[in-house]
Amino acid sequence: MSEPVIATIALAGNPNAGKTTLFNALTGSRQHVGNYPGITVEKKEGYVDTPAGLTRVVDLPGTYSLTAYSQEELVARDFLIHERPQSVINVLDATSLERNLYLTVQFLEIGIPVTVALNMVDALEAKGMTIDSQRLASLMNVPVVRTVARSDKGVREALDAAMNHPQKVWQPLHISYGPDLDPVLQEMTDLIKERNFLTQTYPPRWLALKFLENDLVVRQLFEADSELHRNMRDMADDVARHCEKTLKTQPEFIVADYRYGYIASILRQGVLTIQPDLQGRADLSDKIDSVLTHQLAGPTIMLCVLYGLFSVTFAIGQVPMGWVESFFEWLSALAMQMPGGLARSLIVDGIIAGVGGVLGFVPLILIMFLGITFLEDSGYMARMAYMLDRVFRIFGLHGSSVVPFIISGGIPGGCAVPGVMAARTLRSPKEKLATLLTAPFMVCGAKVPVFILLAAAFFPQHGARVMFLITLAGWAAALVVAKLLRSSVIRGPSTPFVMELPPYRMPTATGMVLHTWERGWQYIKKAGTVILAISILIWAMMTFPALSVDLAAPIEAQIESLETRLASEPVEEIRLALQNDIAELSLRLKEETLANSLAGRMGRAIEPVTAWAGFDWRTNIALVGGIAAKEVIVSTLATAHALGDDQAQSFSERIASAPGWNTSVAVSLMIFVLLYSPCFVTVVAIAREASWGWAAFSVVFNTSFAFALAVAAYQLGMRMGW
Amino acid sequence: MFFCKLKDTANGVRTLCDLKDGEKAVVQCLIKAQGCHLSKLAAMGITPGTQIEMISNSSGPLMVLVRSSRLCLCRSLGKSIVVE
């Protein structure tokens, strides 16, 4: 960014309030998605040109509150306090004003200049509500802008209001927390001011309030000053005991109660009017829900939706996938023009075959992501979690385990790394552990190509059905193993959960495209970096050490003599036979070279064991590489078979006709790939969320479990003569 | 005002789980069981005095309407919300 940035504006609000839609409307494609350092919470920022200059807009994670109970809430409040943006635009769902203002009050208590974007005002009328936004503005003393972010209404005005906010300095709002808390709050605030404890960073009363609310992060801050900490703690303990005895409650709930009281007192002064005659009428979301979450119809529809998603993806995806494939074939034909040797082999067999093998699936993955984004943005994903909770309880998991499962690939195309990290929201350590260990069974985006490839090769007419069955198998394995774990190694009672079901909404086109592109781009980026590096490494392992001269020389000599004969042979039939012999010999040479290489030796060493499941040594190379990153499986298979055969044939056809491959092998391989050890990055993530012991457990347990099932499937398949 | 003791709820007190589809009630108090989850309830708008409407109460999680937003919560939390 060459132009200097004149201001930073933060966007904040409840999940589903339309924050991201507003962000997209403001920044368009000038946005960047990353992660906050060390954690998985997404960090979105973008730039907007304003008459005054370039403005940075940061989309904070959606939260209901600013406690220390979740990563998202911590990130949001730390950003506001430490980075001190000029102003925060608080996006509110106008149809749920009371609940949304709970967060607004907390921003005001920090003291940052707040601009309220009253979003989705177009939906108010249907709900029989009216909001007097001017009155709200004057009562809360903040600018209020009415917006409909999805149709771009009021978006610019909201930004202008935030940029020209009348309040230039931080002014924390003081609301009364009643006769029990107010005196002690005042005392604590005075104490903090007296010691001048962090007053440059935090508003003193806010610190005191958080201390009373038993906020662990704030309490930890105070450990820097042990005397102050002791005093504060004694005061907090006293008032907590008093509240417990006289009111049967705790300070943190009194605080929540008074905040709602403050909000109610504002809304009652003519801000919110509800027409009672319209209130009772069910809105569209209710009507949709009565069908989509119906006890019997709901789950049936859910399965149909998922099956439909696959069918459509495969039907549409085939075409662009063909284009990408032919592009790489053309590229590799072009590279074949280079003089033979190691360099050409590296480019054709290593890089193009490896990276091309992965990139070939980009169109399919983009289409699948588009579908998933639609399910998420429309609000259906939350209903899936709601419906699945019933099932999950049976297996000792949690309603919220659905989210890590779905992110990991419960709908194919996810990734176990963010999935495992999403399990962090589960409070109960036991359910969290069970979720962590079973989420990698899902069909992540990197496994998808393996299944597509094998399905195309062995079940050419049934791609979608195979994919669907594998997805179900992933779920079944995850649930069964979770149940096993929860009734053996990690036993314990279940933890309660609560979540919001957002109203159904038609997702915006921009939002869908941007969101899909973000995910797709991450996949492409990985292919260009990690996968490229691993492809080259594996190519090297498959090429070196070169075949020794005494082994290679006789074959090479034979080829040479045949070639000289070919050059002078006039009869067409003999020429053809000679050409065949040459092809066969060069194939043998390549086979010998591969078998002699480091990877080949490793693959061969474990072949006696893997043969039970029908895997030959080439597959072994791919599977071992797959522990580094699952994308490598397809690329290594591609490389291994490219090294052995350079006829212009599509990869899946080549696999289907390769010796040692049949339907049983394909099924056994699919099962193994679905279930075996999580990839390296996931293992690290599990170690970070649980421990290295559990991470090691997941590698060993998953691989043995997968192998046992693969052997069973292969042996059964062979007996049945598939 | 916020919590009620378990013995108060022993006989005949109705909890959220006892509401039928479409029935409305007012939250009276919460039964203290798991502290941090109750603060999540507060952030989602379930505090004493709040009107709550049951949308769907079948064998699985409960679906309710609170402060004009739709929430889904598990039955064990529903049991800790006393209504009248």
Side-chain angles (χ1 to χ4, degrees), chain A residues 106-404:
Chain A
Q106 296 184 60
F107 288 136
L108 293 172
E109 284 184 302
I110 294 183
I112 186 170
V114 175
T115 304
V116 166
L118 208 52
N119 197 25
M120 303 192 256
V121 279
D122 55 335
L124 282 173
E125 204 183 325
K127 290 213 164 200
M129 297 186 207
T130 44
I131 294 175
D132 183 342
S133 44
Q134 270 164 357
R135 202 149 174 79
L136 179 66
S138 68
L139 285 170
M140 292 197 81
N141 199 21
V142 293
V144 175
V145 181
R146 298 171 85 92
T147 62
V148 184
R150 40 179 305 134
S151 48
D152 231 345
K153 280 194 194 110
V155 170
R156 268 287 163 160
E157 289 80 348
L159 184 68
D160 289 344
M163 302 278 291
N164 305 312
H165 201 287
Q167 181 191 335
K168 295 294 173 212
V169 288
W170 284 36
Q171 267 169 8
L173 168 76
H174 288 198
I175 63 177
S176 165
Y177 287 107
D180 297 290
L181 296 190
D182 273 347
V184 67
L185 205 53
Q186 191 55 48
E187 228 177 299
M188 286 170 119
T189 313
D190 291 343
L191 208 58
I192 295 169
K193 278 188 192 151
E194 202 178 290
R195 305 282 292 211
N196 207 9
F197 183 77
L198 294 176
T199 44
Q200 292 303 307
T201 322
Y202 300 92
R205 193 170 188 264
W206 185 81
L207 278 182
L209 187 62
K210 284 286 149 189
F211 202 99
L212 273 185
E213 281 187 279
N214 203 3
D215 185 295
L216 292 178
V217 174
V218 165
R219 288 207 169 192
Q220 223 161 28
L221 278 178
F222 276 89
E223 278 166 19
D225 185 338
S226 58
E227 195 193 328
L228 181 64
H229 184 232
R230 202 168 340 107
N231 286 338
M232 299 268 294
R233 206 184 45 206
D234 290 346
M235 285 151 97
D237 288 351
D238 275 347
V239 75
R241 257 195 305 275
H242 170 75
C243 295
E244 184 75 51
K245 211 158 55 193
T246 59
L247 303 165
K248 288 191 287 188
T249 181
Q250 284 168 359
E252 69 178 298
F253 298 107
I254 298 185
V255 169
D257 221 28
Y258 273 90
R259 276 192 196 129
Y260 275 115
Y262 175 77
I263 294 163
S265 74
I266 286 175
L267 295 186
R268 243 183 275 125
Q269 297 180 52
V271 173
L272 182 67
T273 329
I274 296 171
Q275 288 147 275
D277 51 323
L278 281 169
Q279 258 292 289
R281 133 186 136 177
D283 69 353
L284 189 61
S285 265
D286 283 326
K287 284 180 196 151
I288 300 175
D289 259 342
S290 64
V291 179
L292 289 189
T293 61
H294 185 268
Q295 258 193 297
L296 297 172
T300 319
I301 294 172
M302 180 165 68
L303 284 180
C304 292
V305 166
L306 290 181
Y307 186 72
L309 179 68
F310 300 137
S311 310
V312 170
T313 305
F314 279 85
I316 302 176
Q318 224 93 68
V319 182
M321 225 172 106
W323 300 338
V324 178
E325 222 164 79
S326 13
F327 170 74
F328 279 102
E329 269 161 31
W330 171 80
L331 207 62
S332 114
L334 199 70
M336 286 305 275
Q337 305 296 316
M338 288 171 60
L342 277 181
R344 188 178 80 177
S345 166
L346 172 66
I347 290 174
V348 176
D349 302 327
I351 298 173
I352 297 180
V355 175
V358 175
L359 287 185
F361 296 95
V362 166
L364 213 68
I365 280 167
L366 285 181
I367 294 171
M368 204 166 252
F369 280 165
L370 199 65
I372 295 171
T373 307
F374 182 85
L375 293 185
E376 265 178 357
D377 292 359
S378 63
Y380 188 62
M381 197 75 104
R383 269 75 181 179
M384 287 179 54
Y386 162 76
M387 285 186 279
L388 286 167
D389 183 69
R390 208 166 308 189
V391 185
F392 272 44
R393 303 245 132 202
I394 303 171
F395 295 96
L397 291 167
H398 206 271
S400 312
S401 307
V402 174
V403 181

Side-chain angles (χ1 to χ4, degrees), chain A residues 64-65 67 69 73 95-99 102 127 129 244-245 247-250 252-254 256-258 260 280 283 285-286 289 293 295 382-383 385-387 389-390 393 398 427-428 494-504, chain B residues 1-5 8 24 29-30 32-51 53 55-78 80:
Chain A
Y64 295 102
S65 183
T67 62
Y69 289 130
E73 296 181 21
T95 63
S96 181
L97 192 57
E98 201 180 4
R99 216 265 326 280
Y102 187 72
K127 290 213 164 200
M129 297 186 207
E244 184 75 51
K245 211 158 55 193
L247 303 165
K248 288 191 287 188
T249 181
Q250 284 168 359
E252 69 178 298
F253 298 107
I254 298 185
D257 221 28
Y258 273 90
Y260 275 115
D283 69 353
S285 265
D286 283 326
D289 259 342
T293 61
Q295 258 193 297
R383 269 75 181 179
Y386 162 76
M387 285 186 279
D389 183 69
R390 208 166 308 189
R393 303 245 132 202
H398 206 271
R427 292 270 171 66
S428 148
S494 56
T495 327
F497 84 101
V498 54
M499 68 175 191
E500 190 186 2
L501 296 174
Y504 288 104
Chain B
M1 56 186 223
F2 210 98
F3 297 127
C4 18
K5 286 191 179 133
D8 299 343
K24 286 178 190 167
C29 57
L30 306 176
K32 202 163 128 193
Q34 297 90 1
C36 69
H37 274 274
L38 295 184
S39 79
K40 176 93 193 221
L41 283 185
M44 305 284 266
I46 303 181
T47 53
T50 317
Q51 202 195 50
E53 181 186 336
I55 300 175
S56 165
N57 181 359
S58 46
S59 60
L62 307 165
M63 205 200 279
V64 295
L65 193 69
V66 179
R67 297 184 201 254
S68 48
S69 63
R70 207 159 307 161
L71 304 181
C72 139
L73 55 146
C74 64
R75 300 192 77 83
S76 61
L77 268 182
S80 68

Side-chain angles (χ1 to χ4, degrees), chain A residues 441-626:
Chain A
F441 287 144
M442 296 297 165
V443 183
C444 73
K447 291 179 193 168
V448 170
V450 183
F451 303 135
I452 295 175
L453 171 75
L454 293 174
F458 294 95
F459 309 95
Q461 304 308 317
H462 309 287
R465 209 168 304 165
V466 168
M467 202 63 217
F468 187 65
L469 283 175
I470 286 172
T471 309
L472 289 186
W475 280 92
L479 292 180
V480 169
V481 171
K483 182 70 187 170
L484 274 175
L485 293 172
R486 288 284 278 126
S487 44
S488 58
V489 226
I490 29 181
R491 229 172 315 182
S494 56
T495 327
F497 84 101
V498 54
M499 68 175 191
E500 190 186 2
L501 296 174
Y504 288 104
R505 268 176 220 134
M506 186 46 90
T508 62
T510 344
M512 296 243 309
V513 169
L514 283 172
H515 203 153
T516 305
W517 178 245
E518 272 159 29
R519 291 172 169 189
W521 178 239
Q522 274 167 7
Y523 181 86
I524 296 170
K525 224 165 42 184
K526 201 169 164 197
T529 53
V530 183
I531 309 303
L532 177 66
I534 298 173
S535 289
I536 293 176
L537 180 74
I538 290 181
W539 169 84
M541 286 175 67
M542 284 162 75
T543 310
F544 302 108
L547 205 55
S548 66
V549 183
D550 20 319
L551 277 173
I555 309 178
E556 274 166 4
Q558 249 180 307
I559 294 178
E560 222 166 288
S561 75
L562 286 175
E563 266 168 356
T564 37
R565 268 182 62 193
L566 181 67
S568 57
E569 182 58 59
V571 185
E572 193 57 31
E573 273 156 40
I574 303 177
R575 280 182 70 91
L576 271 178
L578 280 174
Q579 273 166 346
N580 257 338
D581 288 347
I582 294 174
E584 219 162 273
L585 277 172
S586 23
L587 190 72
R588 221 181 87 205
L589 183 65
K590 285 184 172 172
E591 281 258 11
E592 296 275 335
T593 313
L594 181 58
N596 182 60
S597 70
L598 196 59
R601 287 179 203 184
M602 272 167 51
R604 274 191 197 286
I606 52 172
E607 199 176 31
V609 179
T610 58
W612 299 343
F615 306 153
D616 69 1
W617 54 277
R618 294 178 203 211
T619 311
N620 292 346
I621 302 175
L623 291 174
V624 171

Side-chain angles (χ1 to χ4, degrees), chain A residues 26 55 79 86 103 138 282 461 467 499 567 628 650 686 693:
Chain A
L26 267 178
T55 304
F79 182 86
Q86 201 108 336
L103 184 66
S138 68
Q461 304 308 317
M467 202 63 217
M499 68 175 191
S650 100
I686 294 178

